[in-house]
Every structure is written in C-alpha cells, then in structure tokens.
Amino acid sequence: LVYRIAQTKSMRLISLILFMLMITLGCSKPQPKAIAYGKAECAHCNMLITDKKFGAELVTDKGRYYFFDSAECLFDYLKENSDLKYTHILVTHFTQPDLLADAATSFYVISPELPSPMGAFLTAYPTAEIAQKFAAKHRGEVFSFQQLQEKFSFNATIVFPN
C-alpha cells in the first residue's frame, strides 16, 4: 500500500512536470532558422539566396519563416504585407556573414560603391560607428531602422507571446 501511494505521488509529479513543460514550450515564440544559402529562394523576388553578406529573415507570430536575398527585399515585403505580425525581423551584417541580427537595432549604409543583390546599394551593420566608417570610406549615408521605415514606407509590428 505504501509503495502504491508513493508510486501514485511520483506519477502525479511527473505528469505535472510534463504538463508545465508543454505549456512553456507551447508559449515560447518561434526562433530564427539559419538561411540555407544556395538553396532557399527569396520570399519577395524568388531569386536564389546566395550572398551571405546580404541575407534577411522574417518569423511571424504564427511560426512561418520567410527568407530574403537582401534587406531591400525584406523591406519591400514588409511594405506589401503590413498586416502580418512578426516575432523576428533579422538582417545579415555586411561585416558578419552568416550571423542574423535584429534589424531594428542594426544600422544601414546606402552607398553606390557597395552594391547589394537588388540594386538598392544597402548594407547592414551592427553599430552606428561601424556603419559610419563604411559610409565615410565608400561615400555613403548612414540610416537607422526607423529612418529606413520612412524611406521605404513600411511598417513592422513585432509581437511577443505571453
């Protein structure tokens, strides 16, 4: 009888832990995925994504993933799909290929000396200082994410699940 009571209590505890784990995992927001360079197609222009200095990604609040060959395709997509809500808006920094970073905290340079896949001459950088150095060296202009929202006329709603 004591064995059965102990077994029942431990089963309840295991069940409670599994239940809490399922709730926790079910409420977490979808995480970014690596871009499959050379295999993935841009969600906006349908070009093959090949240049690791320019990739971008959107993750919706529903867990859908969209990959882009450049920040300008990402921004055009945001402009055309302003009704969607995103948990991640990511760009690749020109100086850190293969690393996806938060688009809202990144800085951007538009320079005729730094061509990008879709011809907007737009590159992303992790800090304003690095962006300023590239802009000075390549006769460019530095923009924040908010400034690009005005320039490209797009809205981006980022949501965080409860």
Side-chain angles (χ1 to χ4, degrees), residues 3-160:
Y3 174 74
R4 251 191 209 164
I5 292 171
Q7 189 177 19
T8 305
K9 284 184 180 181
S10 63
M11 288 303 287
R12 284 186 198 155
L13 181 60
I14 291 171
S15 296
L16 179 63
I17 291 170
L18 288 173
F19 178 72
M20 295 302 288
L21 183 63
M22 287 175 25
I23 287 177
T24 303
L25 291 175
C27 292
S28 64
K29 66 181 180 178
Q31 295 302 307
K33 291 182 180 179
I35 298 171
Y37 289 98
K39 295 179 183 173
E41 287 186 3
C42 178
H44 179 68
C45 71
N46 298 319
M47 284 180 54
L48 194 62
I49 304 170
T50 58
D51 195 334
K52 294 181 181 184
K53 294 180 287 194
F54 295 100
E57 179 177 332
L58 288 175
V59 183
T60 70
D61 62 335
K62 306 280 188 221
R64 292 199 176 122
Y65 293 82
Y66 299 94
F67 302 103
F68 303 89
D69 63 342
S70 64
E72 56 261 36
C73 276
L74 165 74
F75 297 148
D76 284 343
Y77 187 89
L78 288 170
K79 183 177 182 177
E80 295 168 4
N81 296 278
S82 60
D83 57 322
L84 296 177
K85 293 180 179 17
Y86 306 98
T87 57
H88 297 284
I89 302 174
L90 306 161
V91 294
T92 302
H93 292 151
F94 189 74
T95 56
Q96 298 171 313
D98 286 332
L99 179 66
L100 288 166
D102 182 11
T105 60
S106 296
F107 292 86
Y108 303 84
V109 172
I110 295 178
S111 166
E113 296 178 7
L114 296 169
S116 57
M118 295 309 293
F121 301 96
L122 181 65
T123 51
Y125 300 89
T127 66
E129 294 77 23
I130 294 172
Q132 284 290 356
K133 286 180 186 177
F134 272 82
K137 183 177 179 181
H138 298 283
R139 299 180 306 131
E141 187 177 352
V142 176
F143 296 87
S144 69
F145 182 75
Q146 292 74 22
Q147 290 169 319
L148 285 181
Q149 281 184 299
E150 293 172 18
K151 185 172 183 62
F152 283 89
S153 302
F154 68 86
N155 280 323
T157 304
I158 299 177
V159 296
F160 302 97

